[in-house]
Amino acid sequence: MILGVTGLVTAVRELPPESTQQAVGYPSLFLLVALGALVPVVPTGAIVSSAAVVAFHHSSPFSLLYVFLVAASAALLGDTALYWLGQRGVRSRNGSRWLAALRSRVTPDRLAQAQERLDTHQVSVLVLSRLVPAGRIPVMLACLLAEMPLRRFVRGDAAACLAWAATYQLIGILGGSLFPEPWQGVVAAVGLTVLVSAVPALWRRIRGSGAPSDRGRGEAPSGHQHP
């Protein structure tokens, strides 16, 4: 993650002419976001925010719109491909490595929470799953295990990808508006992205450490049953 952020800042500090940026930048953005949807180790949020910073400093009034459309469509394509691959694993007797990879990234309690939210809120939970850091994979796995049809998943995920792209683009616009140089805005946008990603995990850790264990709650009653 740190090496990726350093590479982004270095690339932005040595930007080519604007026409070259557009010719290379949009296809690169599409490929990186689509790849990040398939392999959830690429910092796609930071990439979209960085692209929005660069677009903010462009003279073209449509640069930000292009970043938004490219990021949202790439995210939808990656999600759709990953869901389709997961469906093949669900339908197969032997499963698949894609389904196994999804399961390995989700703890049983997080899967149970995602399944409960899916039962309660149905497709609308997909929108929130992309906005909450590390929330996309548990909800996608819950949808797979519930055997949600691909068409229905895509309908819900389309809104999720639009909201996701808009959110991280706004972070980039904020970073770009605070500083005169693009690389400075990239640093600010990436910092905000990392902060947004870290807060939910920190909150879950605090809640987990403060909650009493089930074992401790159950030991007292059992002690009274055996004099």
Side-chain angles (χ1 to χ4, degrees):
M1 176 69 176
I2 295 176
L3 292 176
V5 171
T6 304
L8 282 174
V9 174
T10 302
V12 173
R13 294 189 70 170
E14 301 174 357
L15 284 175
E18 187 172 315
S19 58
T20 306
Q21 294 176 32
Q22 294 175 351
V24 176
Y26 297 133
S28 299
L29 175 63
F30 186 92
L31 290 174
L32 287 172
V33 173
L35 177 64
L38 278 170
V39 186
V41 294
V42 179
T44 52
I47 291 171
V48 173
S49 296
S50 301
V53 170
V54 177
F56 181 82
H57 290 275
H58 281 178
S59 59
S60 172
F62 299 107
S63 295
L64 286 171
L65 176 62
Y66 294 153
V67 169
F68 171 73
L69 293 177
V70 169
S73 58
L76 179 60
L77 177 64
D79 283 357
T80 302
L82 184 58
Y83 193 81
W84 179 76
L85 291 168
Q87 275 189 321
R88 294 185 64 185
V90 170
R91 294 167 182 168
S92 172
R93 292 182 179 179
N94 299 323
S96 70
R97 65 185 184 91
W98 290 98
L99 182 61
L102 290 175
R103 287 182 179 275
S104 68
R105 292 182 176 274
V106 182
T107 59
D109 57 331
R110 295 201 66 191
L111 176 59
Q113 292 172 5
Q115 289 173 322
E116 182 179 354
R117 294 192 191 102
L118 185 63
D119 291 339
T120 305
H121 302 289
Q122 297 298 318
V123 178
S124 62
V125 76
L126 286 169
V127 179
L128 294 177
S129 72
R130 253 203 173 273
L131 296 178
V132 176
R136 180 176 68 102
I137 298 301
V139 171
M140 181 181 290
L141 182 57
C143 292
L144 284 169
L145 297 180
E147 298 185 358
M148 178 182 290
L150 178 62
R151 183 177 297 180
R152 187 181 178 194
F153 173 82
V154 170
R155 284 201 303 267
D157 194 58
C161 291
L162 290 171
W164 172 82
T167 299
Y168 282 97
Q169 183 166 15
L170 286 175
I171 292 176
I173 292 172
L174 177 61
S177 64
L178 292 176
F179 300 96
E181 295 293 333
W183 72 267
Q184 295 171 326
V186 168
V187 172
V190 170
L192 287 172
T193 302
V194 172
L195 181 62
V196 168
S197 301
V199 167
L202 180 61
W203 174 248
R204 286 194 299 268
R205 182 173 298 181
I206 293 174
R207 289 185 61 187
S209 61
S213 66
D214 293 335
R215 183 178 178 180
R217 286 195 300 266
E219 283 179 353
S222 63
H224 291 291
Q225 291 175 1
H226 301 282

